[in-house]
Amino acid sequence: MLRAMSKGRPRTCVRLCQQQPWQALGRRLFSADGKGFPNALRFDLSAAEIAKTSHEVMESYKKGYGRMVSVPSRERNFQNTLQGIADLDAYCSAVSESCVFPSYVSVRDAAGAANKALSELAIETAMREDIFKAFTEYYNHTMPQETLTPVQRRLIEKTMHDFKKNGLMLSPEKREQLKAMRKKMSDNAITFQKNLNEDTTAFYFSREELDGLPQDFLDGLEKVDGQEGGATKYKVSLRYPELLPVMRYANNAETRRKLDTANAARSMRENTPLLEETLALRHEAALLLGYEDHASYVLEDRMAKNPAHVLDFINELSVKVEPLARREWEKMIALKKATVGGSDNVTIDSHDFTFYNQRILERDYQVDENLIKDYFPFETVTEGMLGVYQDILGLRFEELNDAHTWHRDVRMYAVYDRSTNAFMGQFYLDLWPREGKYPHAAVFPLVPSHHFPSGSSSDIPASFLAHLHPVTGNACSPFARVIMVPRKLTRR
């Protein structure tokens, strides 16, 4: 609803009438997988189809809200004011997500344009005065007379709270200012991420410059033959499956320094102005809404409630951990002195920390991931990690063969409650690097959970993206990050 749409990627569309255009989308996109569970997500839309579908979604969305606004005041109730909007949002979220999610795995330009258009529409809708007026009519007149469940009342109160945070209490002039700020911040965020995703910075190092890296890691790197019989060079990008191992194991400090410096400056020329402008706009928007700063605006809805509580927690924690941190820091200083020699002025630079931390793990705790990995084949590790989550959370995962995904390497699982065998949702695992894919590990909730008045409920698909470094043989890369089941599926 408005709450979801005003805070990131929009969850669009609403079924308020049997003749809404979204039904045409439903016939085209809402299908069932082999297990019989409705999953409307499509990952094979072309750029043209994404543009067309996102436009249809937005039109359906506008008409749905228009119908809600047109309900006469005396006929307004929870069902035609809030329930219909929530249902429509649930029905069509997969359609909009089918247009937006490809920006992270495949059709970037078209999906990015759809994301921008949907985000702008979400901002416009979240600040529409006629929608706020319709809701206020219901809130002040009909709602007190209705018998509502606690969940329904919470939805109503949250919606009213979000209207206030979206500036609907401001004058029309200030509301327009806030709307312009939010659109600019949304554009900046999309462009900022696009710049990072499209960064192709890479270095070519000799075998000597990568001394200390295990051979199976080097075998997984792209190689370039040296000119006129020169030494072979290894291509190392700033993607973390390549960056982190080099920072951890490369004995050559200059190799680590080059990568560390480039990584810290990644897309800096393009993104620094965007970041600076966004920070200024965040502060200005918070002041306009009556908050002291952006942190106060955000934390009002979080457990901490205000910046003072956060700072108190950090300061209290710092006092407790500082002696331990200082002890570890002194260990690193001593180890670097013993390794490279030098005077008492030896320091730990940013490109040193990961390297010497790894040396301490090996020396003091006998942790050598390069020796361990041979005992943990990839398939065994994957099945084992998923098994841990199943045991702890009382779930059962079932891999779906021949499932509709965005790449042949992607796996899809259905999730069941182990005790009742009730279906709970689905998730995708996309673990291997490839060109055009989101460059970091992330969980993307794809479709929100929703219970319809009929008693049926929607799937909860979510995706987990990662970049495990390819290794030779069947060993699990020591540079893999722990596989995590999307938390949306594990809330009981």
Side-chain angles (χ1 to χ4, degrees):
M1 282 194 54
L2 292 177
R3 179 174 179 78
M5 296 186 319
S6 64
K7 297 184 178 180
R9 293 184 296 172
R11 304 297 189 184
T12 55
C13 252
V14 187
R15 186 178 68 168
L16 293 177
C17 144
Q18 293 302 314
Q19 302 303 320
Q20 288 301 308
W22 74 268
Q23 288 187 315
L25 299 179
R27 284 192 294 272
R28 214 171 61 233
L29 291 178
F30 279 70
S31 58
D33 59 37
K35 300 301 294 181
F37 303 120
N39 185 334
L41 290 166
R42 284 278 304 276
F43 303 114
D44 56 356
L45 298 180
S46 67
E49 288 174 320
I50 286 174
K52 181 176 183 293
T53 301
S54 61
H55 175 74
E56 291 174 349
V57 168
M58 290 189 289
E59 288 303 308
S60 298
Y61 178 61
K62 293 174 185 176
K63 291 181 180 181
Y65 267 96
R67 183 168 294 275
M68 185 273 281
V69 168
S70 68
V71 173
S73 299
R74 64 184 180 278
E75 298 177 15
R76 197 168 289 288
N77 55 42
F78 182 84
Q79 293 300 320
N80 60 31
T81 302
L82 279 155
Q83 185 67 59
I85 295 293
D87 290 349
L88 181 57
D89 184 57
Y91 273 113
C92 290
S93 59
V95 183
S96 59
E97 200 64 45
S98 296
C99 299
V100 172
F101 182 70
S103 65
Y104 298 96
V105 293
S106 55
V107 193
R108 281 185 175 175
D109 291 340
N115 190 13
K116 182 177 184 296
L118 288 165
S119 296
E120 289 185 355
L121 179 62
I123 293 169
E124 287 278 356
T125 305
M127 300 180 71
R128 273 177 56 176
E129 189 172 3
D130 58 343
I131 294 176
F132 178 55
K133 180 182 177 182
F135 178 80
T136 304
E137 287 176 351
Y138 166 70
Y139 188 85
N140 291 332
H141 301 294
T142 310
M143 186 193 75
Q145 304 170 27
E146 286 193 298
T147 301
L148 301 169
T149 68
V151 172
Q152 290 171 331
R153 289 192 177 278
R154 176 175 171 79
L155 174 61
I156 293 168
E157 293 302 328
K158 283 289 186 181
T159 302
M160 177 58 81
H161 177 68
D162 285 341
F163 273 124
K164 294 177 181 178
K165 297 198 75 168
N166 286 330
L168 271 300
M169 302 300 185
L170 299 175
S171 67
E173 295 78 13
K174 289 185 177 180
R175 197 158 58 240
E176 287 301 314
Q177 292 178 31
L178 180 63
K179 185 189 299 183
M181 290 179 200
R182 289 193 166 174
K183 285 185 177 181
K184 184 59 178 174
M185 287 188 283
S186 176
D187 288 348
N188 286 354
I190 292 171
T191 304
F192 188 98
Q193 188 60 60
K194 182 175 183 288
N195 291 337
L196 291 177
N197 289 350
E198 295 180 353
D199 180 79
T200 57
T201 302
F203 292 84
Y204 293 87
F205 295 113
S206 66
R207 182 65 184 86
E208 290 71 26
E209 290 173 309
L210 295 176
D211 178 56
L213 274 298
Q215 187 60 46
D216 57 1
F217 172 80
L218 296 176
D219 291 340
L221 295 176
E222 180 182 334
K223 302 172 187 62
V224 178
D225 292 332
Q227 297 181 351
E228 299 180 357
T232 297
K233 297 284 188 176
Y234 296 84
K235 181 181 178 181
V236 179
S237 72
L238 299 182
R239 303 296 174 99
Y240 71 76
E242 298 174 12
L243 173 68
L244 292 184
V246 177
M247 299 305 297
R248 187 180 294 171
Y249 289 104
N251 292 321
N252 190 312
E254 181 60 17
T255 298
R256 302 196 309 270
R257 187 196 65 77
K258 287 180 179 179
L259 284 175
D260 183 62
T261 302
N263 186 55
R266 192 158 56 103
S267 302
M268 183 173 68
R269 184 177 60 182
E270 303 89 351
N271 280 351
T272 298
L274 297 175
L275 180 61
E276 291 175 343
E277 182 181 35
T278 299
L279 291 174
L281 288 172
R282 280 182 171 183
H283 183 69
E284 188 177 349
L287 294 178
L288 195 63
L289 288 167
Y291 296 88
E292 292 186 10
D293 47 42
H294 179 70
S296 299
Y297 170 81
V298 172
L299 290 171
E300 181 182 57
D301 299 324
R302 306 286 176 84
M303 184 173 65
K305 296 303 179 187
N306 60 63
H309 288 159
V310 175
L311 292 174
D312 287 344
F313 174 78
I314 293 174
N315 291 334
E316 181 181 346
L317 187 63
S318 297
V319 171
K320 296 177 180 178
V321 302
E322 185 176 358
L324 300 175
R326 190 174 299 280
R327 193 182 312 159
E328 293 295 319
W329 191 258
E330 290 172 354
K331 279 186 181 181
M332 284 192 182
I333 293 288
L335 183 56
K336 184 174 181 179
K337 284 182 180 180
T339 302
V340 302
S343 65
D344 292 336
N345 294 325
V346 168
T347 61
I348 298 296
D349 298 312
S350 61
H351 61 270
D352 289 329
F353 182 84
T354 303
F355 177 78
Y356 286 104
N357 183 63
Q358 181 64 33
R359 303 287 82 71
I360 289 173
L361 287 174
E362 294 173 359
R363 184 193 68 183
D364 296 352
Y365 304 101
Q366 291 75 53
V367 176
D368 188 340
E369 293 175 339
N370 285 315
L371 294 178
I372 293 173
K373 70 176 186 290
D374 290 336
Y375 297 92
F376 293 90
F378 171 76
E379 290 295 338
T380 302
V381 172
T382 303
E383 292 176 10
M385 286 303 303
L386 294 178
V388 168
Y389 281 102
Q390 292 175 84
D391 291 340
I392 293 176
L393 301 170
L395 301 174
R396 177 172 62 84
F397 301 155
E398 181 179 324
E399 186 169 3
L400 304 179
N401 297 319
D402 301 320
H404 173 60
T405 67
W406 54 91
H407 191 272
R408 62 180 179 275
D409 291 339
V410 179
R411 292 173 158 183
M412 183 179 183
Y413 294 82
V415 181
Y416 302 86
D417 185 297
R418 182 179 290 178
S419 60
T420 65
N421 208 36
F423 174 71
M424 297 183 66
Q426 300 160 333
F427 67 91
Y428 303 85
L429 288 183
D430 185 359
L431 303 178
W432 302 106
R434 61 180 176 275
E435 192 66 30
K437 181 183 168 184
Y438 183 75
H440 297 287
V443 174
F444 292 91
L446 298 176
V447 179
S449 174
H450 185 77
H451 294 275
F452 298 97
S454 64
S456 62
S457 60
S458 61
D459 287 3
I460 319 174
S463 65
F464 175 78
L465 305 186
H467 282 255
L468 307 188
H469 185 78
V471 295
T472 56
N474 194 34
C476 186
S477 169
F479 317 119
R481 292 197 173 182
V482 174
I483 296 172
M484 297 195 301
V485 177
R487 64 181 184 277
K488 293 277 185 178
L489 297 179
T490 59
R491 291 177 179 169
R492 305 303 301 274

